[in-house]
Amino acid sequence: MSSSYRFETRAIHHGQEPDQATGAVIVPIYQTSTYAQEAPGIHKGYEYARTGNPTRAALERCLASLEEGAFGLAFSSGMAAITAVSYLLSPGDHVLAPNDVYGGTYRYFVRVLGRYGVETSFVDMTDLDQLEEAFTPSTRLVLVETPTNPYLKILDIQAIAEIAHRRGALVAVDNTFATPYFQKPLLLGADLVVHSTTKYLGGHSDVVGGAVITSNVDLYETLKFHQNAVGAVPGPFDCWLVLRGVKTLAIRMERHQANASQVAAFLRSHPRVERVYYPGLPDHPGYEVARRQMSGFGGMVSFRVKGGKEAARRVASQTRIILLAESLGGVESLIDHPASMTHASLEGTPLQVEEDLLRLSVGIEHPEDLIEDLEQALMG
Ligand SMILES: *Cc1c(COP(=O)(O)O)cnc(C)c1O
């Protein structure tokens, strides 16, 4: 399908032409582990399902198109996708990552990759001077995540990519929070985009998956080799669920963002709220960069409540519609107390979060219901 079609159209059609055998409008779940060959080595492009699967191929093509990239690779989780990027590294290489990177990414780079001779430094990438100073002659990869989690800091992808490329390092952007609907890192100079498709791309809290997208054929070939060699591939049903989710990504993101900005405005004026973190608020430190590099501010809102840890835990326990759960990006609103849930493993590390902080994944319910729910939880 032509890539001249617009985002919403490609989300529904790209890589998803009607099934050649039957005309099925929806890409079938090719639940098979192997493919019959006509003669040894003569086949229809598929040999074994770790190497390739048509449902997965449809997802990979669609995601590549949405990110304005040439190649997509799907993985069994976001962490498997991030791990795949790390296969581009060798012992002795140095990595730079944001100082409030996703906790699982921190854990992987420090506790797993560290044992294989790859060292990672965590820096405040909102400060480009600090970033420059952190480079060493061995820095090979700059991992960017923006907006960050849970403080929703905004990192300037274009400026970071310029610095990194001048220093001979690759740039990978974890685009899970913004999604390609609001932010296209490859167009801002990134070499690789990484996703946890578990979140907004899947969008319905019913699948775990990941993806890597690039326009660089050499990086793609290396990653593709490792995708098959390592084997952290998603099953066809999981790929189908993500494809189904992606079809409605545009309208979901519009509503996530509309609801999130209403919730952020409500929280900001609430007497029991200490501080609100939402990149769409004009006094957010990253507001100007966000306006430049994103076409929307997303659906995540973090806030600190007055009264410390106990008050935060109480609010998190008292919401009724907004479910207390880890994860994000589904149609249903979720609340998280990062210090005791998603970010508990970071206690005692430089990535530790404040104990009065709450994180909301604002869903697509009616915004007034969400606001009333937060009101009763804050006042309860
Ligand atoms: C959830 C998440 C991941 C990890 O993805 P999984 O699918 O849980 O493995 C990585 N990065 C970000 C920003 C995430 O939110």
Side-chain angles (χ1 to χ4, degrees):
M1 182 188 181
S2 162
S3 48
S4 68
Y5 289 106
R6 291 164 185 83
F7 187 94
E8 291 82 348
T9 310
R10 283 182 279 136
I12 294 168
H13 296 290
H14 194 97
Q16 305 166 72
E17 291 72 24
D19 182 48
Q20 287 200 348
T22 64
V25 164
I26 297 301
V27 175
I29 301 163
Y30 284 92
Q31 192 71 42
T32 186
S33 62
T34 189
Y35 308 85
Q37 307 196 2
E38 277 171 43
I42 309 293
H43 52 72
K44 296 178 161 58
Y46 293 98
E47 302 165 276
Y48 183 62
R50 170 162 35 74
T51 319
N53 175 286
T55 318
R56 192 172 97 207
L59 174 63
E60 293 176 334
R61 282 203 287 272
C62 183
L63 293 181
S65 170
L66 297 184
E67 284 287 2
E68 306 293 341
F71 311 103
L73 290 163
F75 293 89
S76 55
S77 70
M79 284 320 303
I82 288 166
T83 300
V85 169
S86 75
Y87 297 138
L88 299 168
L89 303 166
S90 300
D93 285 348
H94 175 243
V95 178
L96 288 170
N99 64 355
D100 61 347
V101 73
Y102 176 72
T105 306
Y106 176 83
R107 180 175 56 198
Y108 173 70
F109 276 88
V110 171
R111 293 182 57 187
V112 180
L113 216 50
R115 292 195 291 113
Y116 294 85
V118 174
E119 199 203 322
T120 305
S121 305
F122 298 88
V123 297
D124 178 359
M125 291 192 188
T126 60
D127 180 346
L128 296 174
D129 293 333
Q130 191 176 323
L131 176 69
E132 282 262 20
E133 279 164 29
F135 274 83
T136 76
S138 317
T139 307
R140 169 111 171 90
L141 173 70
V142 177
L143 184 65
V144 179
E145 196 183 302
T146 180
T148 66
N149 175 20
Y151 286 105
L152 304 167
K153 284 194 222 162
I154 301 295
L155 306 180
D156 187 335
I157 296 171
Q158 200 163 8
I160 293 171
E162 273 166 27
I163 295 170
H165 289 156
R166 190 161 20 87
R167 301 279 191 150
L170 291 169
V171 176
V173 175
D174 185 332
N175 204 26
T176 299
F177 272 40
T179 83
Y181 184 67
F182 284 140
Q183 177 170 277
K184 297 186 178 65
L186 297 179
L187 299 183
L188 296 165
D191 302 289
L192 299 146
V193 171
V194 183
H195 276 285
S196 168
T197 57
T198 313
K199 316 292 170 52
Y200 287 106
L201 296 186
H204 296 75
S205 306
D206 53 11
V207 64
V208 171
V212 180
I213 297 105
T214 183
S215 288
N216 179 318
V217 66
D218 295 329
L219 295 179
Y220 170 70
E221 294 294 347
T222 305
L223 290 168
K224 171 100 187 124
F225 168 80
H226 284 90
Q227 181 195 42
N228 182 51
V230 177
V233 293
F237 181 53
D238 287 358
C239 293
W240 184 90
L241 283 170
V242 177
L243 260 180
R244 177 180 166 132
V246 161
K247 287 178 194 284
T248 55
L249 181 66
I251 54 169
R252 282 189 288 108
M253 293 314 294
E254 289 290 353
R255 183 61 177 265
H256 280 297
Q257 128 143 314
N259 283 2
S261 55
Q262 285 195 46
V263 165
F266 161 77
L267 290 171
R268 226 231 320 223
S269 63
H270 201 282
R272 297 215 171 155
V273 172
E274 179 73 38
R275 184 160 172 199
V276 181
Y277 303 85
Y278 183 62
L281 293 172
D283 59 359
H284 184 285
Y287 178 72
E288 286 305 326
V289 177
R291 277 203 1 168
R292 208 179 334 117
Q293 76 180 7
M294 303 172 78
S295 56
F297 302 108
M300 300 298 296
V301 178
S302 294
F303 63 106
R304 287 168 49 207
V305 296
K306 291 183 180 155
K309 181 181 184 179
E310 283 320 307
R313 287 179 61 97
R314 201 165 53 239
V315 172
S317 311
Q318 283 179 354
T319 54
R320 292 172 189 153
I321 305 167
I322 305 171
L323 303 173
L324 178 60
E326 301 199 359
S327 200
L328 59 110
V331 291
E332 59 286 298
S333 294
L334 302 178
I335 192 164
D336 166 39
H337 181 237
S340 45
M341 295 166 61
T342 47
H343 292 64
S345 67
L346 300 176
E347 201 185 332
T349 75
L351 279 75
Q352 184 171 337
V353 297
E354 283 151 311
E355 295 191 316
D356 58 1
L357 185 79
L358 293 168
R359 186 191 75 183
L360 285 171
S361 173
V362 181
I364 62 171
E365 299 95 337
H366 196 288
E368 289 301 326
D369 287 331
L370 299 179
I371 286 169
E372 284 166 24
D373 194 21
L374 286 166
E375 171 67 15
Q376 66 80 23
L378 282 162
M379 299 313 281

